Amino acid sequence: MERIDGHTILIGLMAHPIRHSMSPTMHNNAFAKLGLNFAYLAFEIDCDRLAAGVEAIRTLDMRGANISMPNKQKILPLLDQLSPAAKLAGAVNTVVNDHGVLTGYTTDGTGFMKALEDEGLDIRGKKMVLTGAGGAGTPIAIQAALDGVAEIAIFNNQDSHWEQAKKNVAIINEQTNGHASLHRLEDQADFKQELATADIYCDATGVGMKPLEDKTLVEDPSWFHQDMIVFDTVYAPRTTKLMKVAKAANVKHVLNGLGMMLEQGAEAFKLWTGKEMPVEYIRQLLFADEEER
Ligand code: NAD
């Protein structure tokens, strides 16, 4: 607290619920480590108070904010401009305030790609099977296509996110160099067949997280092959049921969502401060004791 003074620059997190978030701990430790005079605070703000929250960014001359559920889409008309990826994904998780001009970014997709890169994995030119088309699945699909993933097979149930899945496929095919196809998750034979030729399977549905921690969309290890990557966006628990199935199939690269969570934060950190977040320091500080949780 000694470092808070009259010059401290404020960053906010606007979401509801938000008290469980690890972002304040992550960013404040990174600011302290680098000796940056910033402070990051969580504000419980839902859609009803979002306009007032965004106006406060200007009024208080905050440097910016993270935006999470349920505000990621609702914030779009309240901002002055959007990054190309945020425009395509139709969602914002980071706001930067440049002297009153508010720009919206989405760093979940770049966080996903960077998490792979940190493990020495390059999926450009390759084929991805992706389940989910929500707040995580959408930016992952868009960023992967923007970064050069050649083929993306998107599977979703015909639930409330089906239309978004359709939209994601259309955007990728019309506005990126990638090719996407839309599949019904209910068609298990199709799902199995697409996985057989996938270089990476990413699950962005949250199945495997509470209250579905005993569930996975792929139960049979024979649907996977050793040379692929299996990526679960879930990071609590650290080893999900999906990851256990992938390990039983001797899949070489099995990752949880921790790297993505750290890297989406690191990109936002850079947008606000111009500095690289000390990602390894933060990983050790927050998660070293829990790797196998
Ligand atoms: P969301 O509600 O916006 O979207 C969920 C998606 O999963 C939808 O496409 C929905 O159709 C599908 N789905 C939901 N339940 C399903 C089920 N039982 N079977 C099949 N499909 C199902 O959620 P979100 O914000 O996209 O979050 C999804 C997951 O990603 C959560 O576990 C979240 O914690 C995680 N996440 C991780 C990071 C990270 O940095 N690692 C970032 C964002 C989200």
Side-chain angles (χ1 to χ4, degrees):
M1 283 299 109
E2 268 170 29
R3 62 188 188 83
I4 305 278
D5 62 19
H7 300 278
T8 302
I9 297 165
L10 180 61
I11 309 281
L13 167 58
M14 299 183 184
H16 185 94
I18 203 53
R19 297 295 168 215
H20 65 284
S21 172
M22 302 186 77
S23 293
T25 312
M26 175 164 77
H27 287 288
N28 286 316
N29 276 291
F31 296 146
K33 175 77 176 164
L34 299 189
L36 298 173
N37 197 355
F38 284 71
Y40 184 112
L41 293 179
F43 299 108
E44 204 150 72
I45 288 181
D46 58 16
C47 296
D48 290 348
R49 296 195 303 146
L50 184 60
V54 170
E55 198 44 41
I57 297 176
R58 292 191 179 91
T59 308
L60 303 178
D61 203 16
M62 293 165 64
R63 176 63 176 139
N66 272 144
I67 305 299
S68 194
M69 300 312 287
N71 301 324
K72 284 184 175 183
Q73 281 101 18
K74 292 269 167 13
I75 197 169
L76 296 185
L78 302 171
L79 300 174
D80 299 307
Q81 52 193 31
L82 298 173
S83 73
K87 198 179 278 180
L88 287 181
V92 160
N93 78 337
T94 302
V95 175
V96 177
N97 178 11
D98 289 302
H99 310 291
V101 178
L102 302 187
T103 306
Y105 297 83
T106 175
T107 68
D108 284 323
T110 40
F112 166 75
M113 295 298 289
K114 188 74 183 11
L116 290 170
E117 196 187 311
D118 290 346
E119 298 294 324
L121 301 169
D122 184 358
I123 59 169
R124 285 172 297 177
K126 305 258 174 80
K127 169 175 173 175
M128 173 159 76
V129 170
L130 173 68
T131 41
T138 295
I140 285 173
I142 302 290
Q143 193 65 46
L146 287 173
D147 284 358
V149 173
E151 198 184 334
I152 306 175
I154 299 178
F155 282 82
N156 214 90
N157 283 332
Q158 284 183 301
D159 61 12
S160 56
H161 284 84
W162 178 252
E163 285 307 313
Q164 184 64 47
K166 248 187 189 170
K167 213 166 134 185
N168 295 348
V169 167
I171 287 169
I172 289 168
N173 289 335
E174 288 159 22
Q175 300 186 51
T176 77
N177 291 328
H179 176 261
S181 53
L182 180 63
H183 305 255
R184 292 186 315 111
L185 188 55
E186 292 90 343
D187 186 345
Q188 291 283 291
D190 184 29
F191 189 28
K192 179 181 176 184
Q193 191 176 323
E194 289 294 325
L195 282 172
T197 54
D199 298 294
I200 174 167
Y201 167 53
C202 173
D203 183 19
T205 64
V207 172
M209 191 178 74
K210 254 185 188 165
L212 301 174
E213 65 264 47
D214 296 328
K215 299 262 184 286
T216 168
L217 297 178
V218 181
E219 293 186 348
D220 184 345
S222 75
W223 288 24
F224 291 138
H225 58 89
Q226 284 184 29
D227 294 327
M228 69 192 298
I229 301 163
V230 172
F231 191 111
D232 199 333
T233 58
V234 171
Y235 51 85
R238 299 286 181 261
T239 306
T240 61
K241 180 92 186 289
L242 169 69
M243 294 169 67
K244 286 178 188 161
V245 172
K247 284 178 182 176
N250 290 320
V251 170
K252 268 191 205 140
H253 303 285
V254 182
L255 305 176
N256 64 22
L258 205 54
M260 173 177 163
M261 201 270 284
L262 286 166
E263 291 294 358
Q264 63 77 29
E267 197 192 342
F269 186 92
K270 189 162 189 189
L271 287 166
W272 297 318
T273 67
K275 305 267 192 271
E276 300 291 338
M277 178 189 267
V279 172
E280 282 317 311
Y281 168 77
I282 297 294
R283 195 195 303 270
Q284 289 300 317
L285 193 73
L286 299 187
F287 307 111
D289 300 340
E290 320 180 358
E291 281 300 301
E292 287 311 314
R293 205 175 76 178

PDB file of all heavy atoms in Angstrom, residues 235-248:
ATOM      1  N   TYR A 235      -9.546 -23.675 -15.961  1.00  0.00           N
ATOM      2  CA  TYR A 235      -8.320 -23.806 -15.165  1.00  0.00           C
ATOM      3  C   TYR A 235      -8.598 -24.164 -13.703  1.00  0.00           C
ATOM      4  O   TYR A 235      -7.673 -24.271 -12.898  1.00  0.00           O
ATOM      5  CB  TYR A 235      -7.434 -22.561 -15.269  1.00  0.00           C
ATOM      6  CG  TYR A 235      -8.128 -21.245 -15.008  1.00  0.00           C
ATOM      7  CD1 TYR A 235      -8.290 -20.772 -13.714  1.00  0.00           C
ATOM      8  CD2 TYR A 235      -8.611 -20.497 -16.058  1.00  0.00           C
ATOM      9  CE1 TYR A 235      -8.924 -19.572 -13.479  1.00  0.00           C
ATOM     10  CE2 TYR A 235      -9.247 -19.288 -15.844  1.00  0.00           C
ATOM     11  CZ  TYR A 235      -9.403 -18.830 -14.551  1.00  0.00           C
ATOM     12  OH  TYR A 235     -10.036 -17.641 -14.313  1.00  0.00           O
ATOM     13  N   ALA A 236      -9.851 -24.333 -13.338  1.00  0.00           N
ATOM     14  CA  ALA A 236     -10.192 -24.849 -12.005  1.00  0.00           C
ATOM     15  C   ALA A 236     -11.275 -25.907 -12.201  1.00  0.00           C
ATOM     16  O   ALA A 236     -12.394 -25.545 -12.565  1.00  0.00           O
ATOM     17  CB  ALA A 236     -10.702 -23.736 -11.100  1.00  0.00           C
ATOM     18  N   PRO A 237     -10.964 -27.190 -12.035  1.00  0.00           N
ATOM     19  CA  PRO A 237      -9.697 -27.746 -11.546  1.00  0.00           C
ATOM     20  C   PRO A 237      -8.561 -27.637 -12.575  1.00  0.00           C
ATOM     21  O   PRO A 237      -8.829 -27.463 -13.766  1.00  0.00           O
ATOM     22  CB  PRO A 237     -10.045 -29.218 -11.302  1.00  0.00           C
ATOM     23  CG  PRO A 237     -11.146 -29.520 -12.256  1.00  0.00           C
ATOM     24  CD  PRO A 237     -11.953 -28.261 -12.368  1.00  0.00           C
ATOM     25  N   ARG A 238      -7.324 -27.777 -12.105  1.00  0.00           N
ATOM     26  CA  ARG A 238      -6.162 -27.670 -13.002  1.00  0.00           C
ATOM     27  C   ARG A 238      -6.119 -28.821 -14.003  1.00  0.00           C
ATOM     28  O   ARG A 238      -5.657 -28.651 -15.123  1.00  0.00           O
ATOM     29  CB  ARG A 238      -4.858 -27.661 -12.197  1.00  0.00           C
ATOM     30  CG  ARG A 238      -4.729 -26.499 -11.238  1.00  0.00           C
ATOM     31  CD  ARG A 238      -4.435 -25.184 -11.962  1.00  0.00           C
ATOM     32  NE  ARG A 238      -4.305 -24.138 -10.968  1.00  0.00           N
ATOM     33  CZ  ARG A 238      -5.268 -23.276 -10.635  1.00  0.00           C
ATOM     34  NH1 ARG A 238      -6.406 -23.280 -11.267  1.00  0.00           N
ATOM     35  NH2 ARG A 238      -5.061 -22.380  -9.690  1.00  0.00           N
ATOM     36  N   THR A 239      -6.547 -30.016 -13.550  1.00  0.00           N
ATOM     37  CA  THR A 239      -6.614 -31.155 -14.474  1.00  0.00           C
ATOM     38  C   THR A 239      -8.075 -31.555 -14.604  1.00  0.00           C
ATOM     39  O   THR A 239      -8.665 -32.108 -13.676  1.00  0.00           O
ATOM     40  CB  THR A 239      -5.772 -32.343 -13.953  1.00  0.00           C
ATOM     41  OG1 THR A 239      -4.447 -31.871 -13.697  1.00  0.00           O
ATOM     42  CG2 THR A 239      -5.711 -33.454 -14.984  1.00  0.00           C
ATOM     43  N   THR A 240      -8.656 -31.240 -15.745  1.00  0.00           N
ATOM     44  CA  THR A 240     -10.080 -31.526 -15.946  1.00  0.00           C
ATOM     45  C   THR A 240     -10.260 -32.964 -16.432  1.00  0.00           C
ATOM     46  O   THR A 240      -9.295 -33.634 -16.811  1.00  0.00           O
ATOM     47  CB  THR A 240     -10.668 -30.571 -17.006  1.00  0.00           C
ATOM     48  OG1 THR A 240      -9.968 -30.799 -18.237  1.00  0.00           O
ATOM     49  CG2 THR A 240     -10.531 -29.116 -16.595  1.00  0.00           C
ATOM     50  N   LYS A 241     -11.503 -33.399 -16.443  1.00  0.00           N
ATOM     51  CA  LYS A 241     -11.818 -34.749 -16.940  1.00  0.00           C
ATOM     52  C   LYS A 241     -11.341 -34.891 -18.383  1.00  0.00           C
ATOM     53  O   LYS A 241     -10.772 -35.915 -18.753  1.00  0.00           O
ATOM     54  CB  LYS A 241     -13.342 -34.949 -16.835  1.00  0.00           C
ATOM     55  CG  LYS A 241     -13.855 -36.287 -17.292  1.00  0.00           C
ATOM     56  CD  LYS A 241     -13.945 -37.286 -16.150  1.00  0.00           C
ATOM     57  CE  LYS A 241     -14.315 -38.684 -16.596  1.00  0.00           C
ATOM     58  NZ  LYS A 241     -15.697 -38.828 -17.036  1.00  0.00           N
ATOM     59  N   LEU A 242     -11.565 -33.863 -19.201  1.00  0.00           N
ATOM     60  CA  LEU A 242     -11.102 -33.895 -20.597  1.00  0.00           C
ATOM     61  C   LEU A 242      -9.591 -34.130 -20.654  1.00  0.00           C
ATOM     62  O   LEU A 242      -9.103 -34.946 -21.453  1.00  0.00           O
ATOM     63  CB  LEU A 242     -11.440 -32.564 -21.294  1.00  0.00           C
ATOM     64  CG  LEU A 242     -10.793 -32.350 -22.668  1.00  0.00           C
ATOM     65  CD1 LEU A 242     -11.372 -33.303 -23.706  1.00  0.00           C
ATOM     66  CD2 LEU A 242     -10.964 -30.904 -23.129  1.00  0.00           C
ATOM     67  N   MET A 243      -8.859 -33.432 -19.815  1.00  0.00           N
ATOM     68  CA  MET A 243      -7.400 -33.573 -19.811  1.00  0.00           C
ATOM     69  C   MET A 243      -6.989 -34.985 -19.395  1.00  0.00           C
ATOM     70  O   MET A 243      -6.017 -35.537 -19.918  1.00  0.00           O
ATOM     71  CB  MET A 243      -6.782 -32.517 -18.891  1.00  0.00           C
ATOM     72  CG  MET A 243      -6.974 -31.096 -19.411  1.00  0.00           C
ATOM     73  SD  MET A 243      -6.538 -29.849 -18.172  1.00  0.00           S
ATOM     74  CE  MET A 243      -4.773 -30.101 -18.037  1.00  0.00           C
ATOM     75  N   LYS A 244      -7.746 -35.588 -18.476  1.00  0.00           N
ATOM     76  CA  LYS A 244      -7.437 -36.971 -18.055  1.00  0.00           C
ATOM     77  C   LYS A 244      -7.646 -37.941 -19.215  1.00  0.00           C
ATOM     78  O   LYS A 244      -6.846 -38.848 -19.427  1.00  0.00           O
ATOM     79  CB  LYS A 244      -8.326 -37.375 -16.865  1.00  0.00           C
ATOM     80  CG  LYS A 244      -7.887 -36.693 -15.576  1.00  0.00           C
ATOM     81  CD  LYS A 244      -8.795 -37.058 -14.410  1.00  0.00           C
ATOM     82  CE  LYS A 244      -8.441 -36.212 -13.200  1.00  0.00           C
ATOM     83  NZ  LYS A 244      -9.498 -36.163 -12.208  1.00  0.00           N
ATOM     84  N   VAL A 245      -8.728 -37.737 -19.974  1.00  0.00           N
ATOM     85  CA  VAL A 245      -8.994 -38.600 -21.140  1.00  0.00           C
ATOM     86  C   VAL A 245      -7.860 -38.436 -22.156  1.00  0.00           C
ATOM     87  O   VAL A 245      -7.346 -39.417 -22.710  1.00  0.00           O
ATOM     88  CB  VAL A 245     -10.369 -38.262 -21.772  1.00  0.00           C
ATOM     89  CG1 VAL A 245     -10.567 -39.000 -23.092  1.00  0.00           C
ATOM     90  CG2 VAL A 245     -11.497 -38.591 -20.806  1.00  0.00           C
ATOM     91  N   ALA A 246      -7.449 -37.184 -22.388  1.00  0.00           N
ATOM     92  CA  ALA A 246      -6.368 -36.917 -23.360  1.00  0.00           C
ATOM     93  C   ALA A 246      -5.060 -37.566 -22.892  1.00  0.00           C
ATOM     94  O   ALA A 246      -4.323 -38.138 -23.693  1.00  0.00           O
ATOM     95  CB  ALA A 246      -6.192 -35.414 -23.540  1.00  0.00           C
ATOM     96  N   LYS A 247      -4.793 -37.498 -21.595  1.00  0.00           N
ATOM     97  CA  LYS A 247      -3.556 -38.110 -21.080  1.00  0.00           C
ATOM     98  C   LYS A 247      -3.620 -39.632 -21.223  1.00  0.00           C
ATOM     99  O   LYS A 247      -2.622 -40.276 -21.525  1.00  0.00           O
ATOM    100  CB  LYS A 247      -3.319 -37.684 -19.618  1.00  0.00           C
ATOM    101  CG  LYS A 247      -2.795 -36.250 -19.565  1.00  0.00           C
ATOM    102  CD  LYS A 247      -2.580 -35.740 -18.158  1.00  0.00           C
ATOM    103  CE  LYS A 247      -2.114 -34.280 -18.231  1.00  0.00           C
ATOM    104  NZ  LYS A 247      -1.959 -33.642 -16.936  1.00  0.00           N
ATOM    105  N   ALA A 248      -4.829 -40.204 -21.025  1.00  0.00           N
ATOM    106  CA  ALA A 248      -4.999 -41.655 -21.201  1.00  0.00           C
ATOM    107  C   ALA A 248      -4.742 -42.062 -22.652  1.00  0.00           C
ATOM    108  O   ALA A 248      -4.374 -43.203 -22.925  1.00  0.00           O
ATOM    109  CB  ALA A 248      -6.411 -42.063 -20.778  1.00  0.00           C
TER     110      ALA A 248
END
